[in-house]
Amino acid sequence: MDLKSVVKKLRQFADPSLAESWDNVGLLVEPTPPHEVKKVMLTNDLTEAVYREACDWNANLIISYHPPIFAPMKKLVQSNWKDRIITGCIENRIAIYSPHTSYDALAGGVNDWLLQAFDISSSKPVTQSVTSAGPYNKKLQLTISSTDRESILKCVSGIENTFTTVNELNKEFCEINVLCGSGTIPAILESTQCFCDKIQSTALFDIQKIPKSGHGMGRIGKLTSPISVSEAVERVKKHLGLAHIRLAKGIGCDSISSVAVCAGSGGGLLKNLNVSLYVTGEMSHHDVLHAAQSGVSVILCDHSNTERGFLKVLQESLTKVFQNQVDIQVSKSDKDPLDVV
């Protein structure tokens, strides 16, 4: 399957617009076409060990959950480990795609997988993903005389990347509504300049974003029945395949009836929520202290331990997406950089 087709399917599987605005998601390294993708390696972090594994396996594409290119790169030199990976992928014609927070927000994505440590009766995102109404974020509304309708409509309808509708107000007047992007507005106004004396009024509106059902950052889950804190700990350890995790027991928190999870770093998201337990990879000392003193228990598992297990689920999902046309393998070299010693 050619790379463009693969990327198209990846974007359909998880829309990059679900990602946080600060993130760097999508196709990060693109070899010159044509580029045929036969083997895809999945990893949480693209380290040199994972890169070597991908080369040995003759991978054509690496899907790295965390983007290996995040901060601006001013040079590519062999003294830097990330630079060595990027130049190596370019030289060996290995494409790199990163989904990161788009998979966090995705319904059925990383956070839904993390929540599966518990028996849940209902769940919802901590923060809801929103989307624009199509490719447009502005509506330009022109109120005109009905006798000028066709001539003005002809001018604005010819502008690219717009969608025009007409609303009849009464026998004398009508509204021409032009859906567009911010950059298209000057062209619309210029096209109607010769009709200035015929336009009764002009108004510009922001098109409100609408919730994207099921998608969003983090998850809040209501348990089917309350469990003890110790049972919650064991469930998380089993689900993540960990021998050790860290626990801050909330004051007066003797049982868990609801939980909020956030894969990776949850300090910014898991705050002042009406739940019994937070589960995440990492939080600052002060965030943990605040939660525990407020009666909320906290389980910390280290950052990538709350993400990596999803790769097996992703492998199955993408095998179906690509209809077995590509071979997909989860990296064996990928692991959390921290060990308990």
Side-chain angles (χ1 to χ4, degrees), residues 68-88 90:
I69 301 175
F70 191 77
M73 304 178 81
K74 295 184 177 181
K75 55 187 176 182
L76 292 171
V77 294
Q78 294 304 297
S79 58
N80 181 285
W81 70 274
K82 277 195 174 183
D83 293 7
R84 289 195 295 270
I85 292 171
I86 300 305
T87 54
I90 293 171

Side-chain angles (χ1 to χ4, degrees), residues 212-230:
K212 203 158 188 178
S213 179
H215 303 286
M217 292 302 167
R219 292 294 184 271
I220 295 175
K222 182 179 179 182
L223 275 64
T224 53
S225 59
I227 60 175
S228 66
V229 175
S230 59

Side-chain angles (χ1 to χ4, degrees), residues 121-181:
S121 61
S122 63
S123 67
K124 63 179 181 179
V126 176
T127 60
Q128 180 77 55
S129 290
V130 294
T131 184
S132 299
Y136 315 112
N137 60 12
K138 299 289 182 182
K139 180 176 79 169
L140 187 64
Q141 187 177 84
L142 308 174
T143 303
I144 61 171
S145 169
S146 296
T147 56
D148 300 314
R149 166 180 164 167
E150 294 305 320
S151 53
I152 295 177
L153 193 59
K154 184 177 181 180
C155 290
V156 298
S157 297
I159 298 172
E160 292 185 357
N161 302 317
T162 62
F163 181 76
T164 306
T165 60
V166 179
N167 180 31
E168 301 289 349
L169 298 177
N170 50 47
K171 291 182 179 181
E172 294 183 6
F173 296 101
C174 67
E175 289 176 345
I176 294 180
N177 296 298
V178 186
L179 302 185
C180 59

Side-chain angles (χ1 to χ4, degrees), residues 39-45 49-51 53-54 57 59 61-65 304 307-319 326-335:
K39 293 184 176 182
V40 177
M41 178 158 286
L42 308 180
T43 186
N44 201 77
D45 294 297
V50 173
Y51 162 70
E53 182 186 0
W57 188 54
L61 169 65
I62 297 173
I63 298 179
S64 176
Y65 169 76
S304 69
E307 304 160 336
R308 185 168 289 102
F310 176 71
L311 295 178
K312 287 289 187 184
V313 178
L314 180 63
Q315 181 184 28
E316 294 180 7
S317 298
L318 293 185
T319 297
V326 297
D327 191 3
I328 303 173
Q329 179 171 300
V330 177
S331 170
K332 298 179 177 65
S333 305
D334 179 42
K335 67 184 188 70

